[in-house]
Amino acid sequence: MIISAPTDYREAARRRLPRFLFDYIDGGAVTEQTMRSNSQALQAIALRQRVLQGAGAPTLETDILGSRWGLPIALAPVGATGMYARRGEVQAARAATKAGIPYTLSTVSVCSIEEVAKGAPTGHLWSQLYVLKDRGFMRSFLERSWAAGMGTLVFTADMPIPGSRYRDRHSGMSGPAATLRQYAQAVLHPQWAFDVGLLGGPLSFGNIEAYVGHKMTMSDYMGFLGKNFDPSIAWNDLEWIRDSWKGKLIIKGILDPQDAQDAKRLGADGLIVSNHGGRQLDGARPTVQALPSIVDAVGDDLTVLADSGIRSGVDVVRMLALGAKGVLIGRAYIYALAAAGERGVSHLLDLFAADLKVTMTLIGAKSPADISHRVLELSRSDFPSAAARAELGQDARMAAAQ
């Protein structure tokens, strides 16, 4: 099929993948209302088109968390990425490296920390960690991440327990006879079975395997997560991580301004406004609606990033206009990875970049740093951000004085 838009990769991935894998990345929690709302609410944000602004050829480079990014985009942590393409984490990390953006390795990756670091040795690599009961595993993970040169830790706080994902039970990712159903589906997708199932081994979960000392199957993986998530963890339980981790710390899964303040008090360097792509609490606010109040809550004290529902470069601009310094994409790049490997992810990022350049030119922005609430087509009363309302009021008074 012809791929001319980022969203085209979803259908390409659906054709290639066994159902249990496609539904795992494509689905959300319960009725999937929050998952759908993420995109719908984001795409409802109107932009203010300006003419004759002299924007010229905009640059997409930006400084975030003390580093220069080629785009205001990072690749988010996605579990089991290596099931979507042969040694998928390495391929995705290489594509991110070529684009000059961060790649975030999931705790539950197929490829280990060490394999990814070796496969993308010049990359800007981040490491992601879950809230787990096994503190020994967490300490081992932190030590290995630091030794591999991953200087930024993304701590996912919104998954103390796995979300209720009905689609996974229907598809065979979990539930009765899951392993048999997965094998049956793989037989019906011979291209994936040959490329990933046969040539992509070992299909274990490298980071967990390195700790437990034996191979981890998909069933083992689901069981490990179910047994090891820790719903009792609180903010003070994270203090040992902040004290022992030498690099930058980002808290992922923030939707409430009070939680943003708690992340600030913890000593985090940044946070990611996220509802886990609608895969945790169905009924949670769309990320884009939560973003402005969180930006208000932390100001410039923390670097605010955002994810969930981002499907194009236009969506990236919308998130930046509402206060994010950068965004993370997850589903979008996994679809591309499943369809065409590293080449697909690189092409996807090129499509995002092309969208960004056109959109920035039409709103009069020369760089991501120029994108603010001023590019939004909203009235003063529509802005949830107190800082934005105050600035708009100041703009109006200046205009009246002139």
Side-chain angles (χ1 to χ4, degrees), residues 4 53 60 92 155 158 196 199 211 218 276 283 293 309 334-335 386:
S4 59
Q53 296 298 298
L60 302 184
F155 192 91
D158 64 348
V196 181
L199 301 181
Y211 179 71
M218 183 63 75
H276 216 98
S293 61
I334 294 296
Y335 294 143

Side-chain angles (χ1 to χ4, degrees), residues 66-301:
S67 298
R68 191 72 168 169
W69 296 19
L71 300 166
I73 299 170
L75 299 190
V78 178
T81 293
M83 297 295 289
Y84 290 89
R86 189 194 312 176
R87 314 315 288 169
E89 289 89 359
V90 173
Q91 291 199 60
R94 286 175 177 165
T97 298
K98 290 177 182 176
I101 64 174
Y103 170 74
T104 316
L105 181 68
S106 171
T107 302
V108 289
S109 59
V110 170
C111 299
S112 68
I113 292 167
E114 293 78 12
E115 181 180 352
V116 173
K118 183 178 179 180
T122 62
H124 188 178
L125 303 178
W126 293 1
S127 189
Q128 176 267 336
L129 183 61
Y130 285 117
V131 178
L132 298 174
K133 295 176 182 176
D134 190 334
R135 300 298 194 262
F137 174 84
M138 294 173 72
R139 288 188 175 89
S140 172
F141 188 88
L142 293 176
E143 292 169 359
R144 291 170 55 217
S145 295
W146 185 256
M150 297 180 177
T152 297
L153 178 70
V154 176
F155 192 91
T156 298
D158 64 348
M159 203 167 173
I161 187 172
S164 183
R165 301 170 193 167
Y166 297 160
R167 230 205 280 194
D168 287 349
R169 300 172 199 168
H170 286 300
S171 69
M173 174 60 84
S174 60
T179 301
L180 288 176
R181 296 168 69 191
Q182 291 168 16
Y183 277 120
Q185 292 173 30
V187 169
L188 298 176
H189 292 79
Q191 188 177 11
W192 175 88
F194 179 75
D195 185 49
V196 181
L198 184 61
L199 301 181
L203 290 183
S204 183
F205 289 84
N207 293 325
I208 303 174
E209 179 182 326
Y211 179 71
V212 300
H214 60 81
K215 184 176 179 180
M216 300 288 292
T217 66
M218 183 63 75
S219 297
D220 293 334
Y221 154 68
M222 298 300 287
F224 178 86
L225 295 185
K227 293 177 181 177
N228 270 285
F229 282 123
D230 188 355
S232 68
I233 198 167
W235 283 103
N236 57 5
D237 293 310
L238 302 186
E239 291 176 359
W240 71 268
I241 295 178
R242 176 66 286 181
D243 292 342
S244 61
W245 179 251
K246 303 173 186 177
K248 295 187 182 301
L249 176 64
I250 301 172
I251 307 298
K252 181 177 183 290
I254 301 296
L255 287 177
D256 187 277
Q258 184 58 58
D259 288 339
Q261 291 282 10
D262 288 338
K264 177 180 171 181
R265 281 190 285 272
L266 177 69
D269 299 285
L271 57 84
I272 301 172
V273 183
S274 171
N275 57 35
H276 216 98
R279 294 167 64 80
Q280 283 298 98
L281 175 62
D282 195 31
R285 298 175 71 190
T287 292
V288 68
Q289 293 180 4
L291 176 60
S293 61
I294 290 173
V295 172
D296 260 0
V298 300
D300 293 327
D301 294 331

